[in-house]
CSV table of all heavy atoms in Angstrom, one decimal:
chain,number,residue,atom,x,y,z
A,16,THR,N,92.6,107.6,90.7
A,16,THR,CA,93.8,107.0,90.1
A,16,THR,C,93.4,105.4,90.0
A,16,THR,O,92.4,104.9,90.4
A,16,THR,CB,95.0,107.1,91.0
A,16,THR,OG1,94.9,106.0,92.0
A,16,THR,CG2,95.1,108.4,91.7
A,17,PRO,N,94.3,104.7,89.2
A,17,PRO,CA,94.0,103.3,89.0
A,17,PRO,C,94.2,102.6,90.4
A,17,PRO,O,93.8,101.4,90.5
A,17,PRO,CB,95.2,102.9,88.1
A,17,PRO,CG,95.5,104.1,87.3
A,17,PRO,CD,95.3,105.3,88.4
A,18,ASP,N,94.6,103.3,91.5
A,18,ASP,CA,94.8,102.7,92.8
A,18,ASP,C,93.6,103.1,93.7
A,18,ASP,O,93.8,102.9,94.9
A,18,ASP,CB,96.2,103.0,93.4
A,18,ASP,CG,97.2,102.5,92.7
A,18,ASP,OD1,97.2,101.2,92.4
A,18,ASP,OD2,98.2,103.2,92.4
A,19,ILE,N,92.5,103.5,93.2
A,19,ILE,CA,91.4,104.1,93.9
A,19,ILE,C,90.9,103.1,94.9
A,19,ILE,O,90.5,103.5,96.1
A,19,ILE,CB,90.3,104.7,93.0
A,19,ILE,CG1,89.3,105.5,93.8
A,19,ILE,CG2,89.7,103.4,92.3
A,19,ILE,CD1,88.2,106.2,92.9
A,20,ARG,N,90.8,101.9,94.7
A,20,ARG,CA,90.3,101.0,95.8
A,20,ARG,C,90.9,100.9,97.0
A,20,ARG,O,90.4,101.1,98.1
A,20,ARG,CB,90.3,99.5,95.2
A,20,ARG,CG,89.3,99.3,94.0
A,20,ARG,CD,89.5,97.9,93.4
A,20,ARG,NE,90.6,97.6,92.8
A,20,ARG,CZ,91.2,96.5,92.5
A,20,ARG,NH1,90.4,95.4,92.6
A,20,ARG,NH2,92.3,96.3,92.0
A,21,SER,N,92.3,100.8,97.0
A,21,SER,CA,93.0,100.7,98.3
A,21,SER,C,93.1,102.3,98.8
A,21,SER,O,93.2,102.4,100.0
A,21,SER,CB,94.5,100.3,98.1
A,21,SER,OG,95.3,101.1,97.2
A,22,GLN,N,93.1,103.3,97.9
A,22,GLN,CA,93.2,104.6,98.5
A,22,GLN,C,92.0,105.0,99.3
A,22,GLN,O,92.1,105.6,100.3
A,22,GLN,CB,93.5,105.6,97.3
A,22,GLN,CG,94.8,105.4,96.7
A,22,GLN,CD,95.1,106.1,95.4
A,22,GLN,OE1,94.2,106.3,94.6
A,22,GLN,NE2,96.4,106.4,95.1
A,23,ILE,N,90.8,104.7,98.8
A,23,ILE,CA,89.6,104.8,99.6
A,23,ILE,C,89.6,104.1,100.9
A,23,ILE,O,89.3,104.6,101.9
A,23,ILE,CB,88.3,104.6,98.7
A,23,ILE,CG1,88.1,105.6,97.6
A,23,ILE,CG2,87.1,104.5,99.6
A,23,ILE,CD1,87.0,105.3,96.7
A,24,ASP,N,90.0,102.8,100.8
A,24,ASP,CA,90.3,102.1,102.1
A,24,ASP,C,91.1,102.7,103.1
A,24,ASP,O,90.9,102.7,104.3
A,24,ASP,CB,90.7,100.6,101.7
A,24,ASP,CG,89.7,99.7,101.0
A,24,ASP,OD1,88.6,100.2,101.0
A,24,ASP,OD2,90.1,98.7,100.5
A,25,SER,N,92.2,103.4,102.6
A,25,SER,CA,93.2,104.0,103.5
A,25,SER,C,92.6,105.2,104.2
A,25,SER,O,93.1,105.7,105.2
A,25,SER,CB,94.3,104.6,102.7
A,25,SER,OG,95.1,103.5,102.1
A,26,LEU,N,91.3,105.7,103.8
A,26,LEU,CA,90.7,107.0,104.4
A,26,LEU,C,89.8,106.5,105.5
A,26,LEU,O,89.4,107.3,106.3
A,26,LEU,CB,89.9,107.7,103.4
A,26,LEU,CG,90.7,108.5,102.4
A,26,LEU,CD1,89.7,109.2,101.4
A,26,LEU,CD2,91.6,109.5,103.0
A,27,THR,N,89.5,105.2,105.6
A,27,THR,CA,88.5,104.6,106.6
A,27,THR,C,88.9,103.4,107.2
A,27,THR,O,89.8,102.7,106.7
A,27,THR,CB,87.1,104.4,105.8
A,27,THR,OG1,87.3,103.5,104.8
A,27,THR,CG2,86.5,105.7,105.3
A,28,ASP,N,88.3,103.1,108.3
A,28,ASP,CA,88.5,101.7,108.9
A,28,ASP,C,87.3,100.9,108.6
A,28,ASP,O,86.3,101.5,108.3
A,28,ASP,CB,88.9,101.8,110.4
A,28,ASP,CG,87.9,102.6,111.3
A,28,ASP,OD1,86.7,102.7,110.8
A,28,ASP,OD2,88.2,103.2,112.2
A,29,PRO,N,87.2,99.7,109.1
A,29,PRO,CA,86.1,98.8,108.7
A,29,PRO,C,84.8,99.3,109.2
A,29,PRO,O,83.8,99.4,108.6
A,29,PRO,CB,86.4,97.5,109.3
A,29,PRO,CG,88.0,97.4,109.2
A,29,PRO,CD,88.3,98.9,109.6
A,30,PRO,N,84.7,99.8,110.6
A,30,PRO,CA,83.4,100.3,111.1
A,30,PRO,C,83.0,101.6,110.3
A,30,PRO,O,81.8,101.7,110.1
A,30,PRO,CB,83.7,100.7,112.7
A,30,PRO,CG,84.9,99.9,113.0
A,30,PRO,CD,85.7,99.7,111.7
A,31,GLN,N,83.9,102.4,110.0
A,31,GLN,CA,83.5,103.6,109.2
A,31,GLN,C,83.1,103.2,107.8
A,31,GLN,O,82.0,103.8,107.4
A,31,GLN,CB,84.7,104.7,109.1
A,31,GLN,CG,85.0,105.3,110.4
A,31,GLN,CD,86.3,106.0,110.2
A,31,GLN,OE1,87.3,105.7,109.4
A,31,GLN,NE2,86.6,106.9,111.0
A,32,ARG,N,83.6,102.3,107.1
A,32,ARG,CA,83.2,101.7,105.8
A,32,ARG,C,81.8,101.3,106.0
A,32,ARG,O,80.9,101.4,105.1
A,32,ARG,CB,84.1,100.8,105.3
A,32,ARG,CG,85.4,101.4,104.8
A,32,ARG,CD,86.1,100.4,103.8
A,32,ARG,NE,86.9,99.2,104.7
A,32,ARG,CZ,87.9,99.4,105.2
A,32,ARG,NH1,88.7,100.6,105.1
A,32,ARG,NH2,88.5,98.4,105.9
A,33,ALA,N,81.5,100.5,107.1
A,33,ALA,CA,80.2,99.9,107.2
A,33,ALA,C,79.1,101.0,107.4
A,33,ALA,O,77.9,100.7,107.1
A,33,ALA,CB,80.1,98.9,108.4
A,34,ALA,N,79.5,102.1,108.0
A,34,ALA,CA,78.5,103.1,108.4
A,34,ALA,C,78.4,104.1,107.1
A,34,ALA,O,77.4,105.0,107.3
A,34,ALA,CB,79.1,103.9,109.6
A,35,ARG,N,79.1,104.0,106.0
A,35,ARG,CA,78.9,104.9,105.0
A,35,ARG,C,77.5,104.6,104.3
A,35,ARG,O,77.0,103.6,104.3
A,35,ARG,CB,80.1,104.7,103.8
A,35,ARG,CG,81.4,105.0,104.3
A,35,ARG,CD,81.5,106.5,104.3
A,35,ARG,NE,81.3,107.1,103.0
A,35,ARG,CZ,81.2,108.4,102.8
A,35,ARG,NH1,81.4,109.2,103.8
A,35,ARG,NH2,80.9,108.9,101.7
A,36,PRO,N,76.9,105.7,103.7
A,36,PRO,CA,75.7,105.5,102.9
A,36,PRO,C,75.9,104.5,101.7
A,36,PRO,O,77.1,104.5,101.2
A,36,PRO,CB,75.4,106.8,102.4
A,36,PRO,CG,76.2,107.8,103.3
A,36,PRO,CD,77.4,107.2,103.7
A,37,ALA,N,75.0,103.8,101.5
A,37,ALA,CA,75.1,102.7,100.5
A,37,ALA,C,75.4,103.3,99.1
A,37,ALA,O,74.8,104.3,98.7
A,37,ALA,CB,73.7,102.0,100.5
A,38,GLY,N,76.4,102.8,98.5
A,38,GLY,CA,76.9,103.2,97.2
A,38,GLY,C,77.6,104.5,97.2
A,38,GLY,O,77.8,105.0,96.1
A,39,LEU,N,78.0,105.0,98.3
A,39,LEU,CA,78.7,106.3,98.4
A,39,LEU,C,80.0,106.1,99.2
A,39,LEU,O,80.1,106.4,100.4
A,39,LEU,CB,77.9,107.4,99.0
A,39,LEU,CG,78.3,108.9,98.7
A,39,LEU,CD1,78.2,109.2,97.4
A,39,LEU,CD2,77.5,109.8,99.7
A,40,PRO,N,81.2,105.6,98.5
A,40,PRO,CA,82.4,105.4,99.3
A,40,PRO,C,83.1,106.6,99.6
A,40,PRO,O,83.8,106.6,100.7
A,40,PRO,CB,83.1,104.6,98.2
A,40,PRO,CG,82.8,105.1,96.9
A,40,PRO,CD,81.2,105.4,97.1
A,41,VAL,N,82.9,107.6,99.0
A,41,VAL,CA,83.3,109.1,99.4
A,41,VAL,C,82.2,110.0,99.0
A,41,VAL,O,81.4,109.8,98.3
A,41,VAL,CB,84.7,109.4,98.6
A,41,VAL,CG1,85.8,108.5,99.0
A,41,VAL,CG2,84.5,109.4,97.2
A,42,ASP,N,82.4,111.3,99.6
A,42,ASP,CA,81.5,112.3,99.5
A,42,ASP,C,81.8,113.2,98.3
A,42,ASP,O,81.0,114.1,97.8
A,42,ASP,CB,81.4,113.2,100.7
A,42,ASP,CG,80.9,112.4,101.8
A,42,ASP,OD1,79.7,112.0,101.8
A,42,ASP,OD2,81.8,112.0,102.8
A,43,GLY,N,82.8,112.9,97.5
A,43,GLY,CA,83.1,113.7,96.3
A,43,GLY,C,84.6,113.4,95.9
A,43,GLY,O,85.4,113.0,96.6
A,44,ILE,N,84.7,113.6,94.4
A,44,ILE,CA,86.1,113.4,93.9
A,44,ILE,C,86.2,114.7,93.0
A,44,ILE,O,85.3,115.1,92.3
A,44,ILE,CB,86.0,112.2,93.0
A,44,ILE,CG1,85.9,110.8,93.8
A,44,ILE,CG2,87.4,112.0,92.2
A,44,ILE,CD1,85.7,109.7,92.9
A,45,LEU,N,87.4,115.3,93.1
A,45,LEU,CA,87.8,116.5,92.3
A,45,LEU,C,88.8,116.0,91.4
A,45,LEU,O,89.9,115.6,91.7
A,45,LEU,CB,88.2,117.6,93.1
A,45,LEU,CG,87.1,118.3,94.2
A,45,LEU,CD1,86.9,117.4,95.4
A,45,LEU,CD2,87.4,119.7,94.4
A,46,LEU,N,88.7,116.2,90.1
A,46,LEU,CA,89.6,115.9,89.1
A,46,LEU,C,90.5,116.9,88.5
A,46,LEU,O,90.0,118.1,88.3
A,46,LEU,CB,88.8,115.3,87.9
A,46,LEU,CG,87.9,114.0,88.2
A,46,LEU,CD1,87.3,113.7,86.8
A,46,LEU,CD2,88.7,112.9,88.6
A,47,THR,N,91.8,116.7,88.4
A,47,THR,CA,92.8,117.8,87.9
A,47,THR,C,92.8,117.7,86.4
A,47,THR,O,92.6,118.7,85.8
A,47,THR,CB,94.2,117.5,88.4
A,47,THR,OG1,94.5,116.2,88.1
A,47,THR,CG2,94.4,117.6,89.9
A,48,HIS,N,92.8,116.6,85.8
A,48,HIS,CA,92.8,116.6,84.3
A,48,HIS,C,92.7,115.2,83.7
A,48,HIS,O,92.6,114.2,84.5
A,48,HIS,CB,94.1,117.2,83.8
A,48,HIS,CG,95.4,116.5,84.1
A,48,HIS,ND1,95.8,116.3,85.5
A,48,HIS,CD2,96.4,115.9,83.4
A,48,HIS,CE1,96.9,115.7,85.5
A,48,HIS,NE2,97.3,115.4,84.2
A,49,ALA,N,92.7,115.1,82.4
A,49,ALA,CA,92.3,113.8,81.7
A,49,ALA,C,93.6,113.0,81.3
A,49,ALA,O,93.6,112.5,80.2
A,49,ALA,CB,91.5,114.0,80.5
A,50,HIS,N,94.6,112.9,82.1
A,50,HIS,CA,95.6,111.9,81.9
A,50,HIS,C,95.5,110.7,82.7
A,50,HIS,O,94.8,110.7,83.8
A,50,HIS,CB,97.0,112.6,82.3
A,50,HIS,CG,97.4,113.6,81.3
A,50,HIS,ND1,98.4,114.5,81.4
A,50,HIS,CD2,97.0,113.8,80.0
A,50,HIS,CE1,98.6,115.3,80.3
A,50,HIS,NE2,97.8,114.8,79.4
A,51,VAL,N,96.0,109.5,82.3
A,51,VAL,CA,95.5,108.1,82.7
A,51,VAL,C,95.5,107.9,84.2
A,51,VAL,O,94.7,107.3,84.8
A,51,VAL,CB,96.3,107.1,82.0
A,51,VAL,CG1,97.8,107.2,82.4
A,51,VAL,CG2,95.7,105.7,82.2
A,52,GLY,N,96.4,108.6,85.0
A,52,GLY,CA,96.6,108.3,86.4
A,52,GLY,C,95.7,109.2,87.2
A,52,GLY,O,95.7,109.1,88.5
A,53,HIS,N,94.9,110.1,86.6
A,53,HIS,CA,94.1,111.0,87.4
A,53,HIS,C,92.6,110.9,87.2
A,53,HIS,O,91.9,111.5,88.1
A,53,HIS,CB,94.5,112.5,86.8
A,53,HIS,CG,95.9,112.7,87.1
A,53,HIS,ND1,96.5,113.4,88.1
A,53,HIS,CD2,97.0,112.4,86.3
A,53,HIS,CE1,97.7,113.5,88.1
A,53,HIS,NE2,98.1,113.0,86.9
A,54,TYR,N,92.1,110.1,86.4
A,54,TYR,CA,90.6,110.0,86.2
A,54,TYR,C,90.2,108.5,86.0
A,54,TYR,O,89.1,108.1,86.2
A,54,TYR,CB,90.1,110.8,85.1
A,54,TYR,CG,90.2,110.2,83.8
A,54,TYR,CD1,89.3,109.5,83.1
A,54,TYR,CD2,91.4,110.4,83.0
A,54,TYR,CE1,89.5,108.9,81.9
A,54,TYR,CE2,91.6,109.7,81.7
A,54,TYR,CZ,90.7,109.1,81.2
A,54,TYR,OH,90.9,108.5,79.9
């Protein structure tokens, strides 16, 4: 969504974010469809 930055932050705390593989904020994104709020 357009709010993806804070939404990914909500899944982790600072130590977990620091431990994530470089360039991989999540392990996958699954898309429902091509309307503006979803991709």
Side-chain angles (χ1 to χ4, degrees):
T16 85
D18 294 317
I19 192 172
R20 292 176 299 169
S21 69
Q22 288 170 331
I23 290 177
D24 287 346
S25 294
L26 289 178
T27 56
D28 57 28
Q31 290 171 334
R32 286 194 286 276
R35 292 286 307 169
L39 195 69
V41 291
D42 296 287
I44 299 171
L45 294 85
L46 301 178
T47 57
H48 63 297
H50 286 165
V51 66
H53 300 265
Y54 77 96

